[in-house]
Amino acid sequence: MLWLEVIVVLAAIFFGARLGSIGIGYAGGLGVLVLTLGLGLKLGSIPIDVILIIMSVIAAIGAMQVAGGLDYMVSIAEKILRKNPKQITILAPIVTYVMTFFAGTGHTAFSTLPVIAEVAKEQGIRPSRPLSIAVVASQVAITASPISAAVVFLSGVMEKQGIGYLELLAILIPSSFLACMCAAFVANFLGKDLKDDPIYQDRLAKGLVKTRGATKLELKPGAKLSVAIFLVSILAVVTYATLISDKIGVIKNPVLPRNEAIMLFMFAAATFISFFTKIDAAQVLNSATFKSGMSACICVLGVAWLGDTFVVNHIKEIKAIAGDLLNVYPWLLAVVLFFASTLLYSQASTAKALIPSAILLGVSPLTIVASFAAVSALFVLPTYPTLIAAVEMDDTGSTRIGKYVFNHPFVIPGVIAIALSVIFAFVIGGMIL
């Protein structure tokens, strides 16, 4: 029966991956149905907190997008990139990392990818270099964002292990950022120079490569104000979470727990943005950010529920098999998280499905925190939305998927970024904890 249950879980994940996008959530729910009604397993927990945090953060970002805030952030990013175009491979991941860090979602990278590709072409730089590491940085930054669902979930479980919110961020932020910068340096040397790429030369000769030049965005009146409100709300989240933490303890027995506080601060931000910038709140429902966020909620619901249902029914067997192995080779947790995230397509889903099991297996808190960056291996399969967007936006043909599927420009920078994030986190965590 155990093997049959494993087959059901893997089949649901692979089937969902084939459906793509929100389909992995659908298939995850189908897998839960088969495991429970079909095979009689006990129902696992629904990842309610993770889903609600994603919804509330996306609600605020959607309002900011309608108010023109994301366009304003992109205009700043374009100025930075065009001011130092020769350093595009280093600056591009900084831009996408920072935007994801503040927004809590990697989908903000969509708006910067065309600018990155254009600036690279203008400088004769192979666009696949900055685009690949920019996409990777936007994914890795999720594991450092103070308002991402994955980090909020991790902070909740690690607080019970004696690691506070600020300590967690103090490990995750520098380790992930430094790792992305190292990967950017390597990416600068990957692939042939654009002038030596036969595919580019062929596309150029056919007139398929176009240069658009700098874009001129007409910013809405409330664009800057919406960004300011959103940033203040993030500051409020971090401040409140710090004040109620056991380590700081300024607010004893808080009426409002941290997760609920994050949701309410985000709703407050959305309210203020809607009111002061005078947007039509109904338009938020049609914004690209809102749609992608709601899709993420479905994916987390289906996949994390599937994983939890399987784990809670077999925790004894898993502990017997994996417990001793992880104690001897703790870095294997990062490997498990890496490969799981390639299939689960979500940092939050992967964390929710596997981190609690690692804690039950007795894995040390430092190992769990240091391995956390490995949940960002969403770049391995060339089907993730931002990855596909980067391929489509590069008309030089340099950012392409190879015939062996896995031989694409995102793999090497991505593996380097995650491997170094884990290593740096072990070093920094060892000094802080």
Side-chain angles (χ1 to χ4, degrees):
M1 286 297 291
L2 175 60
W3 284 110
L4 179 59
E5 292 159 12
V6 171
I7 290 171
V8 170
V9 172
L10 293 177
I13 292 172
F14 280 115
F15 184 51
R18 288 197 63 182
L19 291 176
S21 184
I22 200 172
I24 193 167
Y26 295 160
L30 174 61
V32 175
L33 186 66
V34 174
L35 290 179
T36 52
L37 285 184
L39 302 178
L41 265 62
K42 174 185 173 184
L43 188 64
S45 300
I46 299 174
I48 294 174
D49 281 356
V50 173
I51 293 170
L52 293 180
I53 288 169
I54 294 174
M55 289 176 65
S56 55
V57 171
I58 289 299
I61 296 175
M64 182 173 67
Q65 182 176 21
V66 173
L70 286 185
D71 286 340
Y72 175 59
M73 292 171 69
V74 170
S75 68
I76 295 175
E78 182 165 9
K79 288 177 183 176
I80 293 172
L81 295 174
R82 290 193 178 281
K83 191 173 182 180
N84 301 280
K86 293 292 184 183
Q87 304 302 319
I88 184 71
T89 308
I90 301 298
L91 292 175
I94 294 177
V95 166
T96 55
Y97 183 100
V98 170
M99 290 183 70
T100 298
F101 176 83
F102 284 116
T105 171
H107 292 294
T108 53
F110 278 115
S111 50
T112 60
L113 295 178
V115 178
I116 294 170
E118 206 60 36
V119 173
K121 277 192 301 184
E122 291 170 6
Q123 298 301 314
I125 296 171
R126 185 181 181 89
S128 64
R129 294 170 180 171
L131 284 172
S132 61
I133 186 57
V135 168
V136 168
S138 72
Q139 295 176 0
V140 173
I142 290 288
T143 62
S145 171
I147 60 170
S148 75
V151 170
V152 172
F153 170 76
L154 182 68
S155 67
V157 295
M158 295 316 297
E159 237 172 15
K160 299 171 185 175
Q161 307 298 312
I163 299 178
Y165 184 63
L166 281 185
E167 290 175 309
L168 189 66
L169 293 179
I171 297 169
L172 298 176
I173 294 172
S175 60
S176 59
F177 182 77
L178 288 173
C180 287
M181 291 302 95
C182 292
F185 176 78
V186 174
N188 219 14
F189 300 95
L190 296 177
K192 296 179 179 178
D193 288 339
L194 200 56
K195 59 182 176 60
D196 298 323
D197 190 326
I199 293 180
Y200 166 68
Q201 294 298 336
D202 180 62
R203 292 181 62 83
L204 187 64
K206 293 178 179 177
L208 299 175
V209 180
K210 305 186 183 304
T211 302
R212 292 186 294 271
T215 56
K216 292 183 179 179
L217 289 173
E218 295 242 344
L219 295 178
K220 297 180 180 179
K224 295 181 181 179
L225 179 59
S226 68
V227 173
I229 292 172
F230 187 75
L231 293 181
V232 169
S233 70
I234 295 175
L235 181 61
V237 166
V238 175
T239 302
Y240 183 78
T242 302
L243 294 178
I244 67 172
S245 68
D246 294 334
K247 298 284 185 180
I248 306 297
V250 174
I251 300 177
K252 305 286 186 181
N253 302 315
V255 175
L256 194 60
R258 186 194 58 243
N259 286 6
E260 286 76 3
I262 292 174
M263 298 173 203
L264 294 178
F265 277 126
M266 290 295 106
F267 277 146
T271 302
F272 291 138
I273 290 172
S274 300
F275 179 77
F276 289 111
T277 65
K278 296 179 174 59
I279 65 169
D280 179 1
Q283 292 182 17
V284 175
L285 301 176
N286 296 317
S287 68
T289 303
F290 187 85
K291 290 177 180 178
S292 63
M294 293 308 105
S295 173
C297 287
I298 298 296
C299 291
V300 170
L301 173 60
V303 172
W305 201 0
L306 174 67
D308 194 73
T309 297
F310 178 79
V311 168
V312 296
N313 284 274
H314 296 290
I315 188 61
K316 290 182 180 178
E317 295 95 322
I318 294 172
K319 196 168 186 175
I321 297 171
D324 293 337
L325 193 62
L326 284 173
N327 284 327
V328 177
Y329 305 105
W331 51 268
L332 281 177
L333 176 61
V335 176
V336 171
L337 293 175
F338 182 96
F339 285 106
S341 65
T342 63
L343 298 174
L344 299 183
Y345 266 34
S346 165
Q347 292 91 339
S349 294
T350 306
K352 183 70 176 65
L354 297 176
I355 295 296
S357 303
I359 293 173
L360 289 173
L361 292 172
V363 178
S364 72
L366 173 58
T367 298
I368 293 173
V369 173
S371 302
F372 180 56
V375 302
S376 288
L378 282 59
F379 54 82
V380 176
L381 294 175
T383 50
Y384 196 73
T386 48
L387 188 152
I388 294 173
V391 173
E392 291 176 348
M393 290 172 186
D394 179 10
D395 59 8
T396 68
S398 70
T399 312
R400 55 184 179 265
I401 310 301
K403 64 179 180 179
Y404 301 111
V405 181
F406 294 101
N407 56 330
H408 54 76
F410 306 87
V411 169
I412 294 176
V415 171
I416 291 173
I418 286 183
L420 291 180
S421 289
V422 172
I423 293 170
F424 292 158
F426 267 112
V427 174
I428 297 171
M431 294 186 290
I432 292 177
L433 303 180

